[in-house]
Amino acid sequence: MISSAKLEVQLLVDGCKKAGVTHVVISPGSRNAPLSIAFDEDAYFRVFVVPDERVAAFYALGMAQKLGKPVVITCTSGSAPLNYYPAVAEAFYQGIPLIVISADRPLEWVDQGDGQTIRQERVFDRMVLKSAQLNEIYSNSQRWHFERNLSEVLQSCNGSVKGPVHLNIPFSEPLYETTEQIEIIENWIELGDVETILSKKSKARLKGLWSASEKRLIIVGQHQKDADLQQVLEKLAMDGSAAVLVEHTSNMYSPYFVSAIDRTLNIIRESEIRNFYPDCIVTIGGAVVSKKIKAFLRQSQAPVIRFGMDFPFMDTYKHLCFSAVVPALEGLAHLAELTEEIPHKSRFGFNWKKMDQYGSDEHKRICSDQPWSDLRVMEFVMDVIPDQCNLHISNSSLIRYALLFDPVKTVNYWCNRGASGIDGSSSTAVGSAIASPDEFHLLVTGDLSFFYDSNAWWSKHLPGNLRIILVNNGGGDIFNIISGPKSTNQWKKIFVAEQELTAEFVSKLYGMEYFYAASLEDLDVHLDAFFGDSVNGKPKLLEINTMSQNNSAILETYFKSFTKRG
């Protein structure tokens, strides 16, 4: 085996192995040539070449989400690493382990007019767990310093708190020399695992908060499937005093949970709303999509308990009074013990679930009466999702539509809700599908998200286990739904950004089989072929045109048609 002749690169590659990296996404360039050579020549790694750095970073994000371990991205110097920033921010707020390795010019050339030379050192510091400016090695002391920094940064991304890290490494020319004499790290500092548990003092505090509350509400943000956590949540929900609210992106399913929050809130009478205010809130997981539940819980002014390893002072509901940096399972298991020890006769949780059931019945009745629209399209899509599917949903209006429908227990739901941008939805789905080639993946995306991230398809690595449903309503329909934009002269021109493009020629450009639908009948005709095996090993794209419909008005009618209950 050969590698780069640069000792720094040999040590860095060995460090990535020790950190559990198997997947590397490279964007071509000259300054990162030593890294490209070393990773590609080492059969230990799966290497993917993606020219667009922003796309490459989201590919890696999707891979790391699915694999549950760090993925490396590396690029040349100058503006190239700045294109990583959207995905780095998403990884930071979702707690996804990314290792960003940016090649650099020697430091003495920064601000000296040299090509592709900018201030790269610590450029991601606000959005990474750790960063280091690595040094070129000319002595044993410099090697010790290099290996010490490498040990710290690489292991920081995948500890009890996960997230992105950044290594900036300067390379002097020559860049392309290779060698068969490869060295490994001599001074690797292993970071030991630490178990965190609640102290006696914390347990006493929790007992006081929990036992004083008869109306308890647990809300689960973005999370990956976790059978043990789901079992504890079910145990709490079956008590009757606790309502467990989840979203599809929580990936927690139970008939005892409230799983369509906006739909449920919509059915409660205004005069009865205070009956559904909790007097204690427990929050776990990442971001919650629903703006309505955030406003509702803030208005309740109930004290909030938070469990989780990251962002312990995240005060989404404005009344955080106790936060424990322990796994959510640890915290909830203790609350379950307290519930058995000090039972309550409150039916608060059962009342919430009753509203959820009423909402489900009303939802089915109302949807069947709606015309062709985004709402009917999402009803169709959510009904035909294959079992065991990985469903990726883009941001803005489509994720909100999806949350109006009952979740499917066997489906894994994914959405970039860390920073909630539209910029990498397609690329993330591609990366996830690449990382799990034996699983089926479906991306449901809007037109602005699709065209914004169209370089996701500019790749030799397009996976045949991915299908794309593009709901094309001719702009950013979220700005037709939310209040405010319609009152301005810029409503359609700037906020909605109306457009008339279709994806037919994008599909042809990248060799993807293309289907088109403008009615439910069209969808029925194309469905079998769309979900069938790929004939050329590439994704298939189904474009659904709803441009001619007043989608926001239909959604408004939907919400107004519910029979209120209380």
Side-chain angles (χ1 to χ4, degrees):
M1 187 178 77
I2 66 173
S3 185
S4 167
K6 293 187 178 295
L7 174 60
E8 301 92 335
V9 173
Q10 297 168 23
L11 300 179
L12 198 158
V13 169
D14 186 47
C16 288
K17 290 179 181 178
K18 287 179 166 58
V21 173
T22 56
H23 288 54
V24 179
V25 183
I26 295 173
S27 292
S30 183
R31 192 57 50 167
N32 64 329
L35 293 164
S36 300
I37 292 166
F39 280 120
D40 191 55
E41 290 287 352
D42 195 326
Y44 180 87
F45 298 101
R46 290 193 63 192
V47 171
F48 303 88
V49 180
V50 182
D52 185 321
E53 286 88 2
R54 180 168 60 83
V55 169
F58 278 109
Y59 266 45
L61 181 84
M63 292 177 186
Q65 277 180 330
K66 192 63 185 169
L67 295 169
K69 62 182 182 180
V71 172
V72 162
I73 48 177
T74 181
C75 65
T76 191
S77 62
S79 60
L82 302 184
N83 291 291
Y84 284 161
Y85 223 125
V88 170
E90 184 66 33
F92 181 72
Y93 283 105
Q94 271 201 61
I96 296 171
L98 278 186
I99 298 173
V100 181
I101 306 175
S102 54
D104 203 354
R105 264 35 178 200
L107 291 181
E108 62 265 24
W109 287 108
V110 175
D111 294 342
Q112 303 305 312
D114 207 25
Q116 287 185 267
T117 308
I118 67 170
R119 302 176 188 181
Q120 287 181 210
E121 185 176 354
R122 300 190 177 278
V123 71
F124 299 114
D125 261 15
R126 295 283 290 172
M127 294 290 167
V128 292
L129 300 181
K130 287 278 185 181
S131 67
Q133 175 72 19
L134 296 179
N135 54 283
E136 294 184 278
I137 299 172
Y138 300 104
S139 68
N140 289 335
S141 180
Q142 288 175 326
R143 178 169 180 165
W144 164 80
H145 185 247
F146 185 99
E147 292 181 350
R148 197 211 65 78
N149 278 339
L150 201 61
S151 299
E152 180 179 358
V153 174
L154 288 180
Q155 293 180 90
S156 294
C157 72
N158 204 31
S160 57
V161 177
K162 301 181 187 300
V165 296
H166 176 217
L167 294 166
N168 192 58
I169 179 166
F171 291 128
S172 300
E173 296 182 11
L175 301 172
Y176 296 89
E177 279 67 17
T178 60
T179 182
E180 294 183 0
Q181 304 299 314
I182 303 170
E183 296 201 37
I184 61 173
I185 292 175
E186 296 175 349
N187 302 293
W188 181 257
I189 306 169
E190 183 177 348
L191 186 65
D193 294 329
V194 177
E195 293 184 0
T196 53
I197 60 173
L198 290 164
S199 68
K200 290 182 178 179
K201 180 180 177 181
S202 293
K203 287 182 177 181
R205 174 65 171 141
L206 281 171
K207 184 175 183 179
L209 289 167
W210 194 247
S211 61
S213 307
E214 293 191 3
K215 299 190 299 179
R216 302 150 171 175
L217 187 145
I218 301 167
I219 183 163
V220 186
Q222 187 163 22
H223 209 284
Q224 294 194 29
K225 285 190 183 295
D226 186 324
D228 293 335
L229 184 59
Q230 180 165 304
Q231 186 176 16
V232 174
L233 283 166
E234 277 193 323
K235 186 176 181 181
L236 286 159
M238 290 172 67
D239 171 69
S241 67
V244 177
L245 276 59
V246 299
E247 294 183 322
H248 298 23
T249 49
S250 304
N251 283 297
M252 299 288 161
Y253 175 86
S254 168
Y256 302 106
F257 299 165
V258 175
S259 55
I261 297 172
D262 282 4
R263 193 179 72 191
T264 302
L265 284 173
N266 186 61
I267 206 168
I268 302 172
R269 292 191 187 101
E270 190 68 32
S271 60
E272 301 285 340
I273 204 80
R274 289 194 169 274
N275 294 339
F276 293 87
Y277 280 164
D279 49 31
C280 181
I281 300 167
V282 178
T283 176
I284 65 170
V288 169
V289 177
S290 171
K291 291 181 69 175
K292 292 182 179 180
I293 195 61
K294 292 173 189 174
F296 177 85
L297 294 180
R298 288 165 189 164
Q299 289 167 3
S300 75
Q301 300 186 13
V304 178
I305 298 167
R306 176 168 175 78
F307 298 122
M309 303 303 293
D310 52 359
F311 299 103
F313 291 95
M314 183 187 291
D315 193 8
T316 306
Y317 308 107
K318 296 184 72 173
H319 289 87
L320 184 65
C321 69
F322 180 90
S323 182
V325 185
V326 296
L329 181 61
E330 162 83 10
L332 291 177
H334 181 63
L335 294 186
E337 292 173 5
L338 289 176
T339 303
E340 288 184 346
E341 180 184 334
I342 314 168
H344 273 293
K345 296 181 179 179
S346 163
R347 295 186 60 81
F348 179 73
F350 292 156
N351 290 338
W352 263 95
K353 185 57 192 175
K354 187 189 297 183
M355 290 298 107
D356 180 51
Q357 291 169 336
Y358 284 149
S360 180
D361 294 339
E362 288 286 285
H363 166 83
K364 292 170 185 174
R365 174 185 67 81
I366 296 164
C367 277
S368 63
D369 294 333
Q370 301 307 309
W372 174 252
S373 60
D374 287 356
L375 181 64
R376 286 306 299 274
V377 166
M378 288 304 293
E379 179 189 32
F380 183 91
V381 169
M382 299 300 281
D383 190 49
V384 300
I385 302 166
D387 283 342
Q388 310 300 327
C389 173
N390 289 277
L391 177 60
H392 305 263
I393 308 173
S394 69
N395 276 306
S396 291
S397 61
L398 286 187
I399 184 61
R400 290 166 172 83
Y401 275 109
L403 297 183
L404 297 175
F405 298 85
D406 293 333
V408 179
K409 183 178 182 179
T410 62
V411 170
N412 286 290
Y413 294 90
W414 305 92
C415 185
N416 283 348
R417 294 305 297 180
S420 304
I422 68 167
D423 38 7
S425 300
S426 299
S427 298
T428 305
V430 173
S432 185
I434 289 172
S436 51
D438 296 329
E439 298 180 11
F440 186 81
H441 292 254
L442 173 63
L443 166 66
V444 180
T445 182
D447 49 293
L448 291 192
S449 293
F450 177 85
F451 291 118
Y452 193 108
D453 196 22
S454 59
N455 270 3
W457 320 115
W458 179 33
S459 165
K460 294 181 179 179
H461 311 290
L462 292 185
N465 60 327
L466 175 65
R467 301 291 177 272
I468 307 115
I469 292 178
L470 165 58
V471 183
N472 192 342
N473 53 33
D477 199 55
I478 189 68
F479 293 102
N480 290 321
I481 295 170
I482 63 176
S483 60
K486 289 182 181 180
S487 66
T488 70
N489 295 329
Q490 292 73 35
W491 165 33
K492 293 188 176 182
K493 176 183 177 182
I494 294 179
F495 298 112
V496 177
E498 290 183 322
Q499 60 84 31
E500 298 179 354
L501 295 174
T502 72
E504 180 179 3
F505 293 103
V506 174
S507 300
K508 289 181 178 179
L509 177 63
Y510 296 115
M512 298 188 292
E513 193 173 354
Y514 175 77
F515 302 85
Y516 179 85
S519 68
L520 288 173
E521 292 74 22
D522 290 346
L523 288 175
D524 285 330
V525 168
H526 293 312
L527 205 60
D528 288 344
F530 175 70
F531 281 122
D533 291 340
S534 172
V535 295
N536 64 356
K538 291 187 177 183
K540 298 181 184 182
L541 189 147
L542 168 60
E543 181 169 12
I544 304 175
N545 189 330
T546 63
M547 288 187 191
S548 61
Q549 303 305 306
N550 192 342
N551 293 291
S552 59
I554 293 168
L555 181 63
E556 187 177 353
T557 299
Y558 163 86
F559 278 114
K560 288 181 177 178
S561 299
F562 277 75
T563 303
K564 300 289 184 178
R565 303 277 173 80

